[in-house]
Structures are given as C-alpha cells and as structure tokens.
C-alpha cells in the first residue's frame, strides 16, 4: 500500500496544522523540536507563502522579537543575529532536553544562516503582499541584521561568511547540516559553500528592501569561485576551513547556490548537472553527501541521507535557472518516496532504489510537509 497524491497532501496539511503555533509560525518538528527555529521557521514559511502569507508574517515577527542584542558566548548571541533555537511557550520548555538548557542557554544563536534566511523571508513576503506596515515594523531589525552580516559573520578565510562555535558545549557545525558533519575534518572558522550563496541573496534582498547596508556585506564572486570551485568535479566544494584547506567533497549543499547572484550561468549549469551524478542522485531524491566520499553513511543524519527540504531548496534553484525538467524530476522522486513511506519524515534513506524510514528521523517536520505542499502546487502548475 502507498499513499495517493491526495492522501499525501492531506497528511502534509494535517502535520502542518498540528505544528502551527498559536502565534501562527510553525514549530520545527515533533516530538523533539516542538519550538521555534530560525532556519526551519523561515524555510517552512517560504514553502507555504504563496497560499498562506500569514505564516510568514508571524515567523518574521517572532524571529525579530528574539534577534540578538548583546554578545553572549554561552548562547553564542551577537547583536543583529537571528536565533537558531527558541523556546517561547511553557510546552516548549517542558520538552527541552535539560542537558541543552544547562549547556547552551536559550534563545540559542548557534546558526550561521538563520539571519540570511530571515532577511530573504522578509523580502519575499513584502514582494508578494506589499505589506509596508510590517516592513516598517521590522526595518530596525533589518538594519541590525545587515550590520551583523557585514561584521561578526565575516570571520572566514578571504573574508567569507564563517562560523566558529564560542561555547565549547554548543553546536560544532552551524549550517543546516549541524549534526554528524563532525565526522568530516574541517578546521574552524568554517566557511560553508551554501552559506555564501544565502548571504549574497540576503544582501540583494536588503537592497530591494531599501536597507542601507554596509559595503562590506558583499561576498566577492571571483574570490568565492577561486576558493570553492572543483574543476575535476564540475561543482563547488563543501567548505573551506580556517587553515585554508578545502573540504573537496561533492554534496547537495552546492545545489543551494542555484539562482544565487554569486555564481555565473555556466557554473550553475555545471552544478545542476552534477547533482544528477550516480553518487548523489537516487530514484527517491538527491543525497546530502556523495557515496564516493569515505565519510558517506546513507543511514546517518547528515552524511548521505535524503532530506525533503534539501531537495525542495534544490528544486527551487533549478526552476530559478530554467531547469524545469530537472526540477520536475526531483519533486516526482521525493513525492513518490513519501507516498511509498506513507509519512512525511525529516529525512529518509535509499536502499536498493527504494525509500527507507530511519529511526533517527522526526516523523513530523514542518519543512518536509511544507516541501510537499510546495511540490504539489508546482505539479499542479505543470
């Protein structure tokens, strides 16, 4: 038995309804992540923006409220930075693992890309709704975000956007693959490939929103290309370490650059082609990590499993660069996989060309269900 598309959509909408907070934003997932996350919240709000802009408005306001104001090493807070993880209700606090509470403190700011995603969400929301009142409301937050993007975020090699954890008990890696990426040796401060693209897109968004951002906010496309491009692989490396060493690994992360102003059309075409190599592409979606890399583990959290939201970001990038057939290929693979699984988890594995549920995955995840809603809308347009 497998779900039909209609049954899959019903499941996605039921999951999103259960995850929606009284304030209108989405909790990241159940049962372990029943709270507001900067990155997750912004992405899931973008996924449903065409049909329900109120989710974006609620998410924008909630994240602005908890924007960093001081330097705090324990929480890894910095002025202008958007938080990574925020417990805002009694229920959230009850669910928190106490080890995190005493090790980190909350709100916790150990995420390098939450700020860029939030700025992009504001831009996309205003473009769709022309809600000038909300824009005026968060204008000071946007200015503070721009200052953070031009200053504390720029600590990497050649002034790339980078992170180095300040709290020894905090997250070692602070991009979206923030779990078992520690198995890959990268010297801090770490400059992740996709984060440079997010930053470039956010800088462009700030200009559209009329924010007077510092000149230093921009990432140099030529320096980026020189540092990250792997000619032999036809794609960009995962990261550059603080010692200048390049993590020459083929990953889905590079696919997040599609549509970014940071890369030229010929590079975008090559990156798109590389996503469909046998080491990344499967009949059920794009893996996070190449099977050719010794650190690959297809059943792990972040080193080779398949994430619906990751495939959604790539899908949107493929559409942005005019690769509509490839985008269709991605969304059909993921939708078919989820129909087969009869649930919409955080991630899954591929065994012998079939989707396999993993115990490590949350059974409900907002940006997975949001991906389904967005994919089905795109499918209907075709």
């Amino acid at each position: 038995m497998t779900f039909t598309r209609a049954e899959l959509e019903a499941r996605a909408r039921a999951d999103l309804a259960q995850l929606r907070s009284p304030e209108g934003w989405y909790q990241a997932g159940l049962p372990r992540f029943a709270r507001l996350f900067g990155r997750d919240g912004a992405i899931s709000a973008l996924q449903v923006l065409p049909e329900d802009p109120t989710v974006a408005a609620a998410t924008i306001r909630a994240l602005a409220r908890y924007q960093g104001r001081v330097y705090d090493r324990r929480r890894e807070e910095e002025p202008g930075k958007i938080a990574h993880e925020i417990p805002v209700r009694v229920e959230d606090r009850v669910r928190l693992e106490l080890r995190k509470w005493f090790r980190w403190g909350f709100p916790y700011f150990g995420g390098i890309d939450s700020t860029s995603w939030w700025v992009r969400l504001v831009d996309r929301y205003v473009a769709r709704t022309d809600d000038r009142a909300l824009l005026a409301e968060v204008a000071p937050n946007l200015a503070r975000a721009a200052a953070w993007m031009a200053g504390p975020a720029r600590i990497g090699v050649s002034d790339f956007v980078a992170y180095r954890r300040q709290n020894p008990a905090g997250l070692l890696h602070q991009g979206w693959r923030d779990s078992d990426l520690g198995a890959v040796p990268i010297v801090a401060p770490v400059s992740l490939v996709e984060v440079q693209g997010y930053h470039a897109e956010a800088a462009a968004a700030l200009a559209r929103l009329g924010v007077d951002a510092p000149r230093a906010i921009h990432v140099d496309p030529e320096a980026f290309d020189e540092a990250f491009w792997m000619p032999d692989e036809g794609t960009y490396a995962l990261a550059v370490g603080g010692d200048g060493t390049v993590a020459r690994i083929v990953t889905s992360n590079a696919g997040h650059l599609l549509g970014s102003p940071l890369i030229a059309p010929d590079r975008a075409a090559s990156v798109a082609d590389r996503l469909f190599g046998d080491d990344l592409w499967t009949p059920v979606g794009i893996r996070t990590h190449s099977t050719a890399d010794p650190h690959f583990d297809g059943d792990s959290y972040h080193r080779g499993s398949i994430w619906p939201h990751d495939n959604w970001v790539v899908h949107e990038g493929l559409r942005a660069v005019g690769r509509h057939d490839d985008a269709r290929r991605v969304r059909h693979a993921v939708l078919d996989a989820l129909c087969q699984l009869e649930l919409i988890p955080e991630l899954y594995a591929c065994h012998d060309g079939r989707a396999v549920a993993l115990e490590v995955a949350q059974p409900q995840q907002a940006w997975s269900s949001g991906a389904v809603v967005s994919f089905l809308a795109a499918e209907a347009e075709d």
Side-chain angles (χ1 to χ4, degrees):
M1 291 290 293
T2 61
F3 276 171
T4 64
R5 289 290 198 264
E7 289 171 325
L8 184 67
E9 180 176 8
R11 177 60 184 264
R13 294 189 182 282
D15 284 355
L16 288 172
Q18 187 173 359
L19 288 166
R20 192 160 185 178
S21 71
E23 297 80 13
W25 46 264
Y26 289 132
Q27 301 171 85
L30 291 174
R32 290 180 54 223
F33 302 131
R35 47 197 175 273
L36 177 63
F37 280 74
R39 177 191 308 119
D40 303 49
I43 291 175
S44 56
L46 281 168
Q47 290 167 333
V48 302
L49 177 61
E51 68 172 53
D52 189 356
T54 66
V55 177
T59 305
I60 290 165
R61 287 189 169 100
L63 293 174
R65 178 183 175 189
Y66 292 96
Q67 186 178 32
R69 294 187 176 275
V70 300
Y71 287 97
D72 186 309
R73 292 177 61 86
R74 181 167 176 261
R75 294 196 305 270
E76 306 205 46
E77 179 179 357
E78 294 166 341
K81 192 176 185 181
I82 296 296
H84 168 66
E85 184 176 2
I86 310 164
V88 296
R89 299 180 298 150
V90 172
E91 301 96 301
D92 298 325
R93 294 177 183 275
V94 170
R95 293 188 183 106
L96 282 174
E97 299 110 320
L98 288 178
R99 66 177 181 83
K100 281 189 179 181
W101 187 267
F102 290 113
R103 289 169 63 200
W104 295 359
F106 289 94
Y108 177 63
F109 288 79
I112 189 60
D113 54 357
S114 295
T115 308
S116 294
W117 277 112
W118 179 80
V119 169
R120 293 166 66 193
L121 177 61
V122 175
D123 179 50
R124 293 274 296 279
Y125 170 80
V126 171
R128 176 164 287 274
T129 66
D130 198 31
D131 187 345
R132 296 291 156 176
L134 185 142
L135 178 58
E137 180 183 332
V138 301
N141 303 90
L142 287 166
R144 288 194 289 268
W148 178 81
M149 289 170 61
R154 311 298 293 277
I155 60 172
V157 174
S158 300
D159 204 30
F160 295 134
V161 181
Y163 59 83
R164 182 205 302 272
R165 67 173 172 183
Q166 301 173 38
N167 179 346
L171 289 171
L172 174 62
H173 285 289
Q174 300 186 356
W176 86 260
R177 292 170 62 186
D178 58 10
S179 181
D180 58 359
L181 196 61
V184 181
I186 311 173
V187 174
V190 179
S191 299
L192 288 172
V193 61
E194 76 278 12
V195 171
Q196 314 312 311
Y198 299 161
H199 191 94
E201 290 188 56
L206 287 167
R208 286 190 294 269
L209 292 168
V211 177
D212 186 14
R215 184 176 179 80
I217 199 170
H218 296 285
V219 176
D220 183 347
E222 291 185 6
F224 169 76
D225 198 74
E226 182 178 351
F228 284 86
W229 184 249
M230 299 187 293
D232 55 328
E233 293 287 2
T235 192
Y236 292 98
L238 171 62
V240 175
D243 61 351
T245 301
V246 179
R248 292 180 46 81
I249 304 170
V250 176
T251 65
S252 62
N253 297 53
H256 291 213
L257 295 171
L258 297 174
S260 163
L262 194 57
I263 62 173
D266 61 328
R267 293 295 200 226
S270 183
V271 168
D273 289 341
R274 189 62 183 82
L275 291 167
F276 295 95
D278 291 342
D279 56 336
L280 287 182
W281 176 249
T282 79
V284 291
I286 301 169
R287 301 182 189 274
T288 54
H289 205 92
S290 169
T291 58
D293 184 71
H295 303 101
F296 169 80
D297 178 354
D299 292 343
S300 69
Y301 200 64
H302 275 144
R303 285 179 289 114
S305 53
I306 298 164
W307 288 65
H309 99 274
D310 179 36
N311 279 257
W312 176 81
V313 175
V314 171
H315 171 271
E316 294 300 288
L318 288 168
R319 296 177 82 191
V321 298
R323 302 281 289 251
H324 296 285
D325 288 343
D326 287 332
R328 189 178 301 112
R329 189 179 178 191
V330 170
R331 70 171 177 267
H332 284 178
V334 174
L335 290 173
D336 288 348
L338 297 174
C339 282
Q340 174 196 321
L341 290 173
E342 297 185 297
L343 77 161
I344 308 172
E346 185 180 19
L347 66 147
Y348 53 88
C350 177
H351 290 181
D352 299 321
R354 292 182 60 81
V356 175
L358 295 172
E359 288 187 10
V360 70
Q362 299 296 288
Q364 291 175 255
Q365 198 79 0
W367 60 10
S368 294
S369 294
V372 168
V373 170
S374 181
F375 281 155
L376 290 173
E379 198 169 69
E381 291 174 6
D382 281 353

